[in-house]
Amino acid sequence: MDQDTMRRREAQCIQEQPPFCQAACPIHVDARGMISAIRAQDFSTAFSIYNRTVPFPGIISRVCDHPCQKECKRQEAGSAIEIRLLEQAVAQYAGNSRRKIKKLPAKNKRMAVVGAGLSGLTAAFDLALKGYGVVLFEAGECLGGRLWGIGDGILSPEILLADVQAVVDAGVQVQLRTAIGEAGISLSSLCDEFDAVYIGIGPERAVNAAMGLELNSSGCIRVDSSTLAASIDKVFAGGGLRCPDGQYSPIQSVADGRSAAISIDRFLQGASLSAGRETEQTFTTKLYTNMEGHIPAYAVRPQSQNLYSLEEAVVEARRCIQCECMECVKKCEYLAHYGAYPKRYVREIHNNDSIVMGMRHANKMINSCSLCGLCETICPGRLNMGDVCLEARRSLVIKGKMPPSAHDFALRDMEFSNSEAFALTRHQPGYAASAYLFYPGCQLSASAPEHVEKLYAYLRERLPGGVGLMLGCCGAPAYWAGREDLSHLTQDSFAANWLAAGKPTVLTACPTCYRLLKDTITEVSIETIWTVLAQLGLPAGIQGTDTHQPLAIIDPCSAREETLLQETVRNIVKTKGFPIEETVLNRELAGCCGYGGLVSVANAEVAEKVAHKRAAESPHDYVSYCAMCRDIYAAQGKRSLHLLDLVFAADLEQAASRQGPSYSDRHENRARLKTKLLRELWQEKVPEGQEKLAVIIPPEVALLMESRMILAEDVQSVIEFAESTGKKLCDPKAGRFVAHYQPVSVTYWVEYGVDGSVFTVHNAYSHRMEIVGDVKR
Ligand code: SF4
Ligand code: SF4
Ligand code: SF4
């Protein structure tokens, strides 16, 4: 992922956009953060968050016209949060913990600020903090301008004076009773004496002070709305003079003073006045916040004199929904597992990918995504973390940095399925051509080989022109592992067999095969067995009854975009007499069971979390048309059926409570299916397998092996290797041997005992290191 792609993807995730209140606030008070602290009854932190942005907390918290509240998301479920009242409570209860004045080193430049209202005070204060020498001219008797007219009931003189003292403490030189304009100092003499001038006075006085500055149609000083630059070089103006029609906004005046200070600083440093200021004042946030599930709640009214008590403030703060997006994280256990959100993950994955040498810490994270793409469907910015992770996996593979342990097991499973042990392509017995080619897939053949046989028989009976059979794996494991080389080889091999079979229409039973083959071998005409069965009608004699309990449908993630397939499947369930329940992550939100993307191989913990959560989506029995989904939910203790169970199973009770086969049995079932079909259907002679050593694996060891993804055939290989080479360690006390064998990249260790010609396994484990040198007897 190059830098540009990373930035584009980061920008797709709007989780870090400010909440609606903060974007609407002209100075962007972090109201959400402040309210979060109030919720935790931490008024001191709440105040420091507030004071970080607000120069005069005592004043502003009392006089702010709170434009933030007009945009508060809470209005969609109740009324806006009383942000201004909460700020006042914070200033009241924690106002003695004002932030310390920290100034930048002094600069050799002097500013004149005209007017000691909120805008002039803010500009003077901010410029002083930036290290400039500031002289503040005020025509009146004291600092504060029109704030003195607000009234004691709202803003007491004590609070006002305490706040404006900050300006003096910051080192601003104050000149009271000094008018600027016709009645006092001329603007041109200020320009001569100072490096920049800010005029922050009300509209009435502004006209008098204009003195050569251009006026707008309302008769006020004309300024650039973003930079506040007036028509004379080095002069800036803002505050009350920008709202001549009586719509004075105290917080807008503060924002103008702040913007002017930024402009003046840029002006004196020769930087662009206008660049990158789009979000400096009020703007519309891109944040998305889902209001679903928020029960309407209305503002707390303060019992006494427009001031919340501590308790009232906490109750009001708890109404805040702490606006954020996190839509994908709420739905995806993988994203939730790593404790952040895609914008952060994209950066982490990019950094991981950019490392030339040394450790890559995000590999496990990259390999723990199902690659299901649900996040893209949910995300307002359409960010697909699956794409990000798949790309990163491919890059790790190409750079030789993909740990072999990550996908070794699944790739070997695929290799088995595409080996002589299982792979097969044949025309229907008695036919020299195939109009159709049934492709059951490796997982259905592993989980329910009897259904494959029955379905193939039914298709042969009902479809004209010959129905060939192709057994094998579609290459999904290689695709998910980022192994493009293997992926292409598998597709090429599929395409060659399909061509040799005369380009028949492929009928897939597995939705992942369907999607992968459709997407990667575009010339293949392909259908699912479900749409074909819907056209043919279900096998006779097992049509539905109307006495069944509802079944909760599980759409596999690979079928998310297949609306016809989803509908067809539901019709089949209904035809069989079952009422349908929908699960949470279904249809256009179809989610993964934890198998997709090889998560279960790379990160069993995440896979378990996914399966566990999904198994709890409905109290009803599940029915899925993906064999892995069915087996995974069954392993969670969830009664689950495969849709073919509804068609072919003699005993649905038994089918719903059946556990899926172990990894070893999956191999066994595939191999047996092939042998059986070759012998019974094609009347071919299949040689018996080589005689194997008699190996006993007790149930507790078999369970251990399953959790460690060790196959019976791996154990068999180790013992055979040890016994044929003598490379084994002997523990004479326990009367056992320990031996290892490395078929490809994983080394398997087996602890076993021997009784005559029978070998009993006591333990088995594996690791990814190579043993160099011989192990001596
Ligand atoms: S859905 Fe996820 S990726 Fe998209 S904006 Fe929200 S948090 Fe970011
Ligand atoms: S609900 Fe809270 S975070 Fe959201 S806009 Fe309102 S005050 Fe801000
Ligand atoms: S598991 Fe699916 S929803 Fe979650 S991040 Fe990966 S692709 Fe997106």
Side-chain angles (χ1 to χ4, degrees):
M1 181 171 23
D2 59 30
Q3 285 262 346
D4 287 347
T5 312
M6 178 199 66
R7 295 225 169 83
R8 183 173 45 74
R9 283 178 165 154
E10 275 190 320
Q12 281 177 272
C13 175
I14 43 78
Q15 164 66 9
E16 288 180 6
Q17 281 277 309
F20 307 88
C21 50
Q22 188 175 358
C25 168
I27 59 168
H28 309 309
V29 167
D30 176 11
R32 180 179 60 187
M34 180 195 76
I35 293 170
S36 168
I38 301 174
R39 287 152 67 112
Q41 305 183 38
D42 183 355
F43 280 72
S44 163
T45 300
F47 182 77
S48 65
I49 292 171
Y50 183 54
N51 194 200
R52 201 183 294 150
T53 317
V54 173
F56 312 112
I59 298 170
I60 308 295
S61 68
R62 285 166 176 83
V63 307
C64 182
D65 46 313
H66 49 77
C68 53
Q69 291 182 205
K70 288 197 196 80
E71 299 301 324
C72 174
K73 197 74 180 163
R74 226 322 157 193
Q75 291 172 100
E76 293 174 25
S79 62
I81 302 298
E82 290 288 348
I83 301 171
R84 210 275 303 155
L85 277 174
L86 288 174
E87 291 172 351
Q88 186 179 344
V90 162
Q92 180 81 18
Y93 301 127
N96 53 3
S97 50
R98 284 164 187 276
R99 86 174 150 148
K100 289 204 171 63
I101 290 177
K102 277 195 206 145
K103 293 176 61 170
L104 293 176
K107 297 186 176 81
N108 189 22
K109 302 276 181 194
R110 292 178 73 235
M111 311 296 131
V113 173
V114 179
L118 274 175
S119 132
L121 286 169
T122 305
F125 183 66
D126 282 8
L127 285 166
L129 296 192
K130 290 178 197 292
Y132 294 110
V134 183
V135 180
L136 176 58
F137 297 95
E138 166 57 41
E141 299 284 327
C142 50
L143 298 181
R146 70 172 84 189
L147 291 172
W148 288 100
I150 284 175
D152 215 2
I154 296 173
L155 180 61
S156 70
E158 294 75 31
I159 289 172
L160 205 168
L161 286 171
D163 263 19
V164 297
Q165 181 61 32
V167 176
V168 179
D169 294 344
V172 172
Q173 190 188 329
V174 176
Q175 286 199 19
L176 299 174
R177 296 175 288 277
T178 309
I180 306 295
E182 288 165 7
I185 303 173
S186 72
L187 181 59
S188 62
S189 59
L190 281 185
C191 287
D192 288 344
E193 192 184 338
F194 292 92
D195 295 288
V197 177
Y198 176 62
I199 300 173
I201 54 183
E204 334 69 49
R205 286 159 61 198
V207 175
N208 293 334
M211 293 177 304
L213 291 167
E214 282 178 24
L215 302 180
N216 61 21
S217 55
S218 311
C220 288
I221 297 171
R222 187 174 65 75
V223 293
D224 179 284
S225 61
S226 151
T227 67
L228 302 186
S231 57
I232 294 178
D233 192 35
K234 77 158 80 162
V235 178
F236 299 80
L241 62 82
R242 293 221 288 150
C243 35
D245 54 357
Q247 291 183 357
Y248 171 69
S249 161
I251 195 64
Q252 187 56 51
S253 285
V254 173
D256 277 6
R258 179 148 292 164
S259 285
I262 292 167
S263 290
I264 289 169
D265 190 35
R266 288 185 179 204
F267 170 72
L268 293 172
Q269 298 198 37
S272 162
L273 278 190
S274 55
R277 303 187 73 168
E278 300 77 15
T279 56
E280 192 173 295
Q281 293 212 7
T282 300
F283 66 95
T284 304
T285 181
K286 292 188 190 132
L287 185 66
Y288 170 77
T289 297
N290 188 347
M291 292 300 290
E292 210 180 294
H294 287 290
I295 297 159
Y298 294 87
V300 174
R301 292 280 149 239
Q303 292 293 308
S304 99
Q305 293 210 341
N306 273 342
L307 174 67
Y308 279 141
S309 65
L310 284 168
E311 296 72 26
E312 286 170 337
V314 172
V315 175
E316 176 62 1
R318 288 189 178 150
R319 275 198 324 121
C320 168
I321 55 181
Q322 294 285 293
C323 293
E324 60 173 356
C325 178
M326 299 296 264
E327 285 300 294
C328 57
V329 182
K330 285 184 228 163
K331 296 266 188 314
C332 170
E333 280 299 304
Y334 155 65
L335 293 174
H337 178 78
Y338 285 95
Y341 44 85
K343 185 168 181 140
R344 296 260 180 93
Y345 301 148
V346 166
R347 170 73 53 149
E348 202 172 325
I349 289 171
H350 172 264
N351 291 345
N352 188 78
D353 191 38
S354 312
I355 294 170
V356 180
M357 309 277 287
M359 293 292 288
R360 287 155 194 264
H361 294 290
N363 285 359
K364 192 155 186 182
M365 184 175 97
I366 289 165
N367 288 324
S368 302
C369 164
S370 298
L371 311 180
C372 70
L374 174 63
C375 44
E376 183 187 24
T377 312
I378 296 167
C379 174
R382 311 289 294 168
L383 178 58
N384 187 332
M385 275 301 293
D387 287 350
V388 174
C389 291
L390 180 59
E391 217 175 88
R393 288 182 201 182
R394 288 174 174 168
S395 172
L396 285 173
V397 168
I398 288 168
K399 291 173 182 167
K401 297 288 184 181
M402 178 64 87
S405 57
H407 303 123
D408 178 87
F409 183 82
L411 292 175
R412 285 182 54 218
D413 190 52
M414 185 183 99
E415 193 184 350
F416 173 88
S417 294
N418 287 333
S419 73
E420 272 305 303
F422 179 59
L424 164 99
T425 309
R426 290 281 190 284
H427 291 304
Q428 180 173 334
Y431 282 72
S434 296
Y436 298 93
L437 189 63
F438 176 41
Y439 190 73
C442 61
Q443 298 300 5
L444 180 65
S445 305
S447 172
E450 69 283 5
H451 289 345
V452 173
E453 281 184 68
K454 285 178 188 158
L455 181 57
Y456 185 40
Y458 186 66
L459 294 173
R460 288 197 315 274
E461 179 195 317
R462 299 299 300 270
L463 287 172
V467 183
L469 179 72
M470 193 194 280
L471 298 178
C473 170
C474 65
Y479 180 85
W480 287 330
R483 289 288 305 271
E484 289 180 280
D485 52 340
L486 268 184
S487 213
H488 291 149
L489 274 178
T490 314
Q491 285 147 23
D492 289 350
S493 156
F494 180 96
N497 288 331
W498 169 73
L499 265 177
K503 298 186 179 181
T505 298
V506 175
L507 308 179
T508 61
C510 166
T512 301
C513 298
Y514 175 71
R515 182 166 160 198
L516 195 77
L517 296 174
K518 194 169 79 151
D519 289 354
T520 54
I521 315 178
T522 46
E523 64 273 28
V524 174
S525 123
I526 188 161
E527 281 190 60
T528 70
I529 52 158
W530 305 110
T531 47
V532 173
L533 280 182
Q535 286 155 21
L536 297 178
L538 298 179
I542 44 174
Q543 296 293 340
T545 71
D546 55 5
T547 56
H548 299 305
Q549 293 294 315
L551 286 176
I553 301 240
I554 291 284
D555 291 312
C557 54
S558 48
R560 187 179 309 123
E561 284 153 25
E562 306 297 336
T563 45
L564 172 66
L565 174 58
Q566 294 168 9
E567 227 29 74
T568 306
V569 160
R570 282 159 177 76
N571 286 337
I572 290 173
V573 175
K574 278 187 219 155
T575 306
K576 298 304 297 179
F578 290 88
I580 290 175
E581 292 288 323
E582 296 289 345
T583 48
V584 179
L585 295 182
N586 249 15
R587 292 192 181 265
E588 70 280 3
L589 293 182
C592 184
C593 59
Y595 177 72
L598 305 182
V599 185
S600 48
V601 186
N603 191 334
E605 190 189 351
V606 168
E608 171 67 21
K609 278 187 181 180
V610 174
H612 185 73
K613 188 172 177 195
R614 296 232 47 211
E617 279 182 25
S618 167
H620 300 292
D621 290 358
Y622 283 1
V623 60
S624 180
Y625 40 111
C626 165
M628 277 320 276
C629 289
R630 195 223 79 89
D631 288 351
I632 280 175
Y633 297 127
Q636 289 292 317
K638 180 77 192 168
R639 285 167 52 88
S640 299
L641 293 162
H642 190 279
L643 191 49
L644 283 174
D645 290 329
L646 297 193
V647 182
F648 294 120
D651 183 343
L652 276 186
E653 248 328 282
Q654 207 177 42
S657 35
R658 172 178 74 91
Q659 281 303 304
S662 68
Y663 291 121
S664 301
D665 288 342
R666 297 183 98 83
H667 275 202
E668 202 62 34
N669 287 350
R670 287 175 199 145
R672 275 206 204 115
L673 175 69
K674 174 179 175 177
T675 307
K676 186 162 188 265
L677 289 171
L678 280 178
R679 283 181 182 154
E680 292 178 7
L681 266 183
W682 283 278
Q683 312 284 313
E684 290 184 21
K685 281 206 171 80
V686 183
E688 297 296 337
Q690 280 182 349
E691 204 169 313
K692 292 180 176 169
L693 295 178
V695 174
I696 296 172
I697 303 176
E700 66 282 6
V701 180
L703 269 179
L704 200 72
M705 284 166 53
E706 186 73 359
S707 70
R708 293 173 178 170
M709 293 186 180
I710 298 172
L711 301 175
E713 63 206 55
D714 296 327
V715 165
Q716 187 96 26
S717 310
V718 175
I719 299 176
E720 278 169 8
F721 179 73
E723 293 301 311
S724 63
T725 61
K727 291 180 177 175
K728 56 186 178 179
L729 290 168
C730 180
D731 178 352
K733 254 196 198 159
R736 290 177 186 175
F737 294 100
V738 177
H740 74 273
Y741 181 57
Q742 186 181 20
V744 191
S745 55
V746 175
T747 305
Y748 296 96
W749 290 86
V750 176
E751 201 181 313
Y752 63 97
V754 188
D755 184 1
S757 59
V758 177
F759 300 84
T760 302
V761 180
H762 296 288
N763 196 4
Y765 45 96
S766 64
H767 61 65
R768 270 78 203 169
M769 69 177 84
E770 198 170 337
I771 308 297
V772 181
D774 282 356
V775 178
K776 304 276 185 243
R777 252 180 223 257

